[in-house]
Amino acid sequence: MNLVKKRKVKNIIALSVSVFAAIIGLFWLVFILSSVLVKGISSINLSLFLNDPAPPGIPGGGLRCAFVGQAIITVIATVIGVPIGIFGGTFLAEYGRNKKYTAVISSLADMMTSFPSIVVGVFVYTIMVRPMGHFNGYAGAVALAIIMIPIIVRTTEETLKLIPWEVREAAFALGAPYYKVIKDIVYRSAITGLFTGILLAVARVAVETAPLLFTSFNNSFLTLNPNQPMPSLTVTIYQYAMGPYKEWHKLAWGASFVIVLFVLVLSILGRWIISKRYGSE
Amino acid sequence: MNEILIEVRNLSFYYGENRVLKDISMGVSKNMVTALIGPSGCGKTTFLRCFNRMHDLYKGNRYEGEIIYNGENILRAHDLIKLRSKIGMVFQRPTPFPMSIFDNVAYGLKLKGIKKRSEIEAIVEKSLMEAALWDEVKDKLNSPATSLSGGQQQRLVIARTLAVEPDIILFDEPTSALDPIATSKIEDLIKHLKDITTVLIVTHNMQQAARISEYTAFMFRGELIEFDKTENIFTNPKEELTEKYITGRFG
């Protein structure tokens, strides 16, 4: 009886500690999210999206140029990163299966996903910005793509490995060559997983600041030419939040609100696709 | 006697240094059902997978001996794609492709380069009828294949294999993942398949071998112990080992 009581007391202690730890973690998350949402939502208005920044100290103005720049950089990064990531992951899961170097590349890609992104920024600065002579949007996109690739490589590899090997054998047994097995059978089975991996990778790079500071830098004017310095939401937030003007702070909160919402929606969408796909089967 | 479609001569097979099939010789009769039985790990599935060179997908395997088909040694064939379109295979668990019922059956035809829609449609219908699935799916050919039940999926896979008109179909325990009703449907189907093709089937289930096959090969530890007409194997086996196995004294 005494023993049972002891266990119950231990159980209550363990439960309380866990709940307390969870509450601490959740508190900050809710605190950050709610302050961004509360302070940000008051800065949300049409002029935020339609106007370019006003000169410092003058009220009004918006961040149109940063939204456009962010969109262009992210799209170019996705166009570069997705095919390389998918093909790389395909190689690891299919052609390089059971090879020793595959495990090494996989672990390296895992390390790359938690690589300091500022180092990627400096790296791209060296190989692109210096030779080209000026900050530019392409360099920013390449930096983001470099961050994206290992994420997509790993999600692709893991997704493809989930497809039962027997299904591939069945296609081989019909006389299909390997590339057709991958294209017709494996990718089709894995399409939602691949898509989710891409969504999460886009959500990850869309909030990166450090790699852009050294590459696309910033621009107070709207530009559609990625060969020029390009503004982005994150760098703009960084700059405006540090700035001395109240209007800048307000715009930074607005931009934070939009970017947090964007990532939230992408993540929820990704999770929803996963649960819809794997929960119903 | 009947016509031999495939002749196995002194076949040995190695996984690395490990010799898992030892000097097997037997013939597979055309338009007959030949069953491979034996305890787990006796090499019957390994043997089956030699016929369409499935082992070539993995490194470190080696064949010795010959499997003669159409006057040529399968083990020396270079065009595996052509070989596998003539030697079909159905696996333990149903393997529907992630596409519609129609596209599943049409997949092998597209691999063969048949493009004419009307021709494909005709073959798909014929194959589904031969696999005894047509009546159940004719109104939902565009539904995903995964919406079918396990037994239906297995018959769909058989239809997909039949569509490319193979000379022989290799079955690797095709009913081990199915319930008794679905199993009996597949067995009926296999009995009828010998009218249009030849069947080589691995089964764990001795009653199944007795029910559906004309010839039975009993394997043990990588060796072919006895190969004879099914009725002889089950009523009057020559080898003591065979008798012990079919009477359930080991295995």
Side-chain angles (χ1 to χ4, degrees):
Chain A
M1 191 57 204
N2 197 18
L3 202 63
V4 174
K5 233 179 188 174
K6 247 187 184 170
R7 278 190 212 152
K8 279 187 176 164
V9 171
K10 279 185 187 169
N11 186 38
I12 290 171
I13 294 172
L15 184 65
S16 328
V17 171
S18 315
V19 169
F20 185 66
I23 288 175
I24 291 181
L26 277 177
F27 171 76
W28 293 109
L29 180 70
V30 172
F31 183 54
I32 293 169
L33 274 182
S34 59
S35 59
V36 168
L37 296 185
V38 169
K39 295 200 180 177
I41 202 153
S42 60
S43 321
I44 296 293
N45 51 44
L46 266 183
S47 93
L48 180 74
F49 299 98
L50 296 182
N51 293 338
D52 281 331
I58 294 173
L63 294 174
R64 181 179 65 159
C65 60
F67 283 108
V68 172
Q70 180 85 46
I72 292 176
I73 291 174
T74 310
V75 167
I76 298 177
T78 308
V79 169
I80 301 172
V82 167
I84 298 179
I86 298 267
F87 284 127
T90 305
F91 176 79
L92 294 183
E94 303 287 339
Y95 295 103
R97 216 169 37 94
N98 299 333
K99 297 221 168 77
K100 274 181 200 145
Y101 60 77
T102 303
V104 176
I105 299 173
S106 243
S107 323
L108 282 178
D110 261 346
M111 271 180 242
M112 278 286 286
T113 56
S114 43
F115 204 62
S117 55
I118 193 156
V119 179
V120 175
V122 175
F123 170 71
V124 176
Y125 176 82
T126 319
I127 62 161
M128 285 186 75
V129 178
R130 287 264 312 264
M132 290 168 84
H134 53 89
F135 293 113
N136 63 81
Y138 288 125
V142 168
L144 294 190
I146 290 176
I147 296 168
M148 236 175 167
I149 288 168
I151 304 174
I152 300 182
V153 163
R154 292 290 291 134
T155 53
T156 303
E157 185 190 358
E158 291 306 320
T159 312
L160 299 194
K161 276 186 177 168
L162 285 179
I163 311 300
W165 184 251
E166 285 164 322
V167 182
R168 295 181 183 83
E169 281 197 339
F172 287 126
L174 274 177
Y178 205 169
Y179 79 92
K180 278 201 175 170
V181 175
I182 292 172
K183 175 172 75 80
D184 296 342
I185 314 295
V186 179
Y187 279 167
R188 270 207 217 199
S189 307
I191 185 79
T192 44
L194 298 180
F195 187 64
T196 312
I198 294 170
L199 273 190
L200 296 179
V202 171
R204 162 79 201 276
V205 300
V207 297
E208 284 292 351
T209 319
L212 297 181
L213 270 176
F214 288 92
T215 50
S216 57
F217 193 56
N218 205 346
N219 194 337
S220 331
F221 303 99
L222 178 73
T223 172
L224 297 176
N225 178 4
N227 200 24
Q228 293 177 349
M230 256 195 163
S232 57
L233 281 178
T234 46
V235 175
T236 306
I237 292 170
Y238 172 75
Q239 197 185 4
Y240 279 26
M242 297 297 218
Y245 310 103
K246 214 165 167 235
E247 286 76 23
W248 277 19
H249 296 168
K250 215 166 162 301
L251 288 175
W253 278 115
S256 306
F257 175 83
V258 174
I259 208 157
V260 165
L261 202 68
F262 175 74
V263 171
L264 216 56
V265 168
L266 275 196
S267 302
I268 291 174
L269 192 66
R271 268 152 227 282
W272 179 73
I273 293 171
I274 293 177
S275 69
K276 195 167 167 255
R277 164 79 172 171
Y278 299 104
S280 60
E281 275 174 13
Chain B
M1 277 295 279
N2 37 60
E3 192 187 336
I4 300 291
L5 177 75
I6 298 183
E7 172 95 41
V8 181
R9 291 181 196 153
N10 308 106
L11 175 73
S12 291
F13 180 76
Y14 298 80
Y15 283 125
E17 290 302 301
N18 199 4
R19 191 183 186 201
V20 288
L21 294 180
K22 296 165 190 163
D23 207 20
I24 294 176
S25 297
M26 64 176 269
V28 180
S29 302
K30 198 174 178 183
N31 293 106
M32 297 276 175
V33 177
T34 304
L36 299 172
I37 61 169
S40 297
C42 71
K44 49 194 191 305
T45 295
T46 306
F47 181 39
L48 190 78
R49 289 162 69 94
C50 291
F51 285 84
N52 64 349
R53 297 269 301 272
M54 219 53 181
H55 297 298
D56 286 40
L57 294 175
Y58 311 96
K59 284 246 163 67
N61 300 323
R62 190 156 57 86
Y63 311 87
E64 267 173 20
E66 295 179 315
I67 300 180
I68 303 295
Y69 159 68
N70 275 346
E72 279 176 48
N73 184 1
I74 286 177
L75 302 179
R76 296 270 170 274
H78 292 295
D79 191 351
L80 292 186
I81 289 173
K82 195 174 141 210
L83 175 76
R84 288 176 183 152
S85 72
K86 295 313 278 178
I87 300 186
M89 190 169 204
V90 175
F91 295 80
Q92 258 185 41
R93 290 198 316 188
T95 50
F97 295 155
M99 43 185 92
S100 72
I101 294 170
F102 184 93
D103 288 340
N104 257 276
V105 184
Y107 190 71
L109 303 172
K110 287 176 186 155
L111 285 178
K112 277 176 106 179
I114 300 175
K115 290 213 171 69
K116 233 172 101 188
R117 183 79 189 172
S118 58
E119 195 183 345
I120 292 178
E121 276 173 6
I123 299 176
V124 167
E125 181 175 343
K126 179 167 157 271
S127 308
L128 283 167
M129 279 179 169
E130 286 169 347
L133 190 61
W134 177 251
D135 289 335
E136 289 158 65
V137 301
K138 64 183 175 198
D139 299 322
K140 50 172 181 177
L141 289 174
N142 290 320
S143 311
T146 43
S147 66
L148 297 173
S149 73
Q152 288 174 325
Q153 286 182 9
Q154 197 63 306
R155 277 179 281 146
L156 178 71
V157 171
I158 295 173
R160 186 174 73 197
T161 311
L162 283 170
V164 292
E165 298 188 325
D167 285 340
I168 180 170
I169 301 182
L170 312 168
F171 286 89
D172 185 5
E173 297 186 37
T175 61
S176 64
L178 302 179
D179 65 66
I181 295 170
T183 297
S184 84
K185 279 189 185 163
I186 300 277
E187 286 185 10
D188 284 342
L189 172 58
I190 290 175
K191 277 191 264 180
H192 286 111
L193 281 183
K194 63 183 179 228
D195 297 335
I196 49 176
T197 181
T198 303
V199 173
L200 183 61
I201 179 170
V202 164
T203 174
H204 241 89
N205 180 331
M206 280 182 277
Q207 287 74 29
Q208 183 169 66
R211 281 194 297 265
I212 63 175
S213 70
E214 277 77 34
Y215 286 89
T216 297
F218 170 63
M219 292 177 66
F220 185 65
R221 290 189 181 158
E223 289 180 59
L224 179 64
I225 304 297
E226 190 169 355
F227 174 56
D228 204 342
K229 285 196 168 145
T230 299
E231 48 182 273
N232 293 345
I233 292 275
F234 282 95
T235 57
N236 189 19
K238 292 187 183 66
E239 301 288 331
E240 199 190 335
L241 212 52
T242 315
E243 189 181 342
K244 274 190 180 169
Y245 181 69
I246 60 167
T247 51
R249 272 182 281 167
F250 79 94

